[in-house]
């Protein structure tokens, strides 16, 4: 089922999401809805809070070299934790909750993440480049943080100005 995505500046995006303790059908239905919603919106990553559920669950589905997304490559991470992080990388990020804005953000280059899959199995993954960036972006959502909050003061002000201008032009259209 395709659900509505909560957009900035909705305060629910600031919620700190809760740990998942039960890996039942309810969780599986939620993950399926998150996938349908993300794909319908041309996204590559989504956290549960973006559809209004404050639990520590995220999904990522990176495109291949041809830009195609394959469901077999879908990553579902429940209660993810970064156990190791190294280096820095600058990447242009976008977010389905902040449509139309893309900003260069600095992240760790290489991360080791431990998490549970949808059945509660413990997993570990080492990720670099885009996958590392996407994991960190989605994990920030679990702590109520958006990528725009990582912008330096001047660029954040510019974002606020552009956002207000966009809202005004949407209203008058
Ligand atoms: C690098 C890049 C992105 C992430 C986090 C996951 N972010 C997304 O999946 C964002 C997708 C997105 C899609 C949009 O819609 C279209 O492009 C059609 C969009 O909308 C507009 O730009 C109007 C905004 C974002 C982590 C690392
Ligand atoms: Co996002």
């Amino acid at each position: 089922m395709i659900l509505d995505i909560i957009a900035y500046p909705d305060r629910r995006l600031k919620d700190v999401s809760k740990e998942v303790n039960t890996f039942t059908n309810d969780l599986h239905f939620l993950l399926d809805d998150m996938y349908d919603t993300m794909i319908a919106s041309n996204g590559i990553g989504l956290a549960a809070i973006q559809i209004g559920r404050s639990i520590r669950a995220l999904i990522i589905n990176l495109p291949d070299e041809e830009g195609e997304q394959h469901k077999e490559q879908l990553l579902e991470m429940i209660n993810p934790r970064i156990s190791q992080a190294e280096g820095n990388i600058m990447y242009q990020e976008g977010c389905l909750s902040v449509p139309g804005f893309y900003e260069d953000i600095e992240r760790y280059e290489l991360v080791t993440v431990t998490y549970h899959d949808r059945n509660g199995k413990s997993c570990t993954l080492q990720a670099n480049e885009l996958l590392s960036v996407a994991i960190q972006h989605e994990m920030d959502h679990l702590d109520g943080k958006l990528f725009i909050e990582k912008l330096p003061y001047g660029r954040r002000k510019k974002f606020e100005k552009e956002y207000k201008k966009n809202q005004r032009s949407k209203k008058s259209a």
Side-chain angles (χ1 to χ4, degrees):
M1 199 188 348
I2 298 169
L3 303 171
D4 288 338
I5 294 179
I6 294 175
Y8 173 86
D10 193 307
R11 294 192 64 82
R12 283 173 290 176
L13 291 169
K14 289 183 172 292
D15 285 357
V16 175
S17 294
K18 291 175 203 66
E19 293 267 320
V20 174
N21 297 310
T22 51
F23 295 81
T24 53
N25 274 343
D26 279 359
L27 175 68
H28 301 170
F29 292 140
L30 171 74
L31 290 166
D32 293 344
D33 288 347
M34 284 171 66
Y35 176 77
D36 293 343
T37 305
M38 177 184 76
I39 294 298
S41 310
N42 294 307
I44 61 166
L46 192 75
I49 190 61
Q50 292 178 273
I51 54 160
R53 296 286 304 274
S54 63
I55 64 163
R56 302 186 82 80
L58 64 86
I59 61 168
I60 292 170
N61 196 201
L62 297 187
D64 64 16
E65 307 84 63
E66 277 89 46
E68 303 287 333
Q69 283 166 292
H70 303 279
K71 196 168 184 184
E72 313 85 72
Q73 305 298 322
L74 176 67
L75 210 66
E76 296 175 334
M77 293 185 156
I78 319 298
N79 303 334
R81 278 178 218 270
I82 293 179
S83 58
Q84 276 181 345
E86 260 177 50
N88 293 100
I89 184 175
M90 196 69 111
Y91 209 97
Q92 194 175 60
E93 297 184 21
C95 179
L96 289 171
S97 293
V98 193
F101 291 92
Y102 296 89
E103 292 283 353
D104 282 336
I105 303 290
E106 192 174 77
R107 301 278 185 185
Y108 295 121
E109 203 217 326
L110 183 71
V111 291
T112 305
V113 192
T114 58
Y115 62 97
H116 296 290
D117 72 5
R118 61 161 59 204
N119 299 308
K121 190 177 111 193
S122 295
C123 306
T124 303
L125 175 77
Q126 205 176 53
N128 63 3
E129 298 181 352
L130 177 58
L131 181 57
S132 169
V133 171
I135 290 170
Q136 292 170 72
H137 176 112
E138 300 309 332
M139 282 184 70
D140 271 356
H141 278 295
L142 309 184
D143 291 322
K145 301 269 182 290
L146 292 175
F147 74 111
I148 49 168
E149 292 169 48
K150 293 181 80 74
L151 291 172
Y153 183 81
R155 275 166 61 208
R156 177 68 192 260
K157 287 283 146 215
K158 194 167 156 256
F159 161 78
E160 300 290 349
K161 218 170 133 182
E162 274 178 43
Y163 171 79
K164 280 181 191 146
K165 201 172 126 196
N166 278 8
Q167 293 301 103
R168 278 197 300 272
S169 58
K170 265 191 209 159
K171 266 184 199 156
S172 62

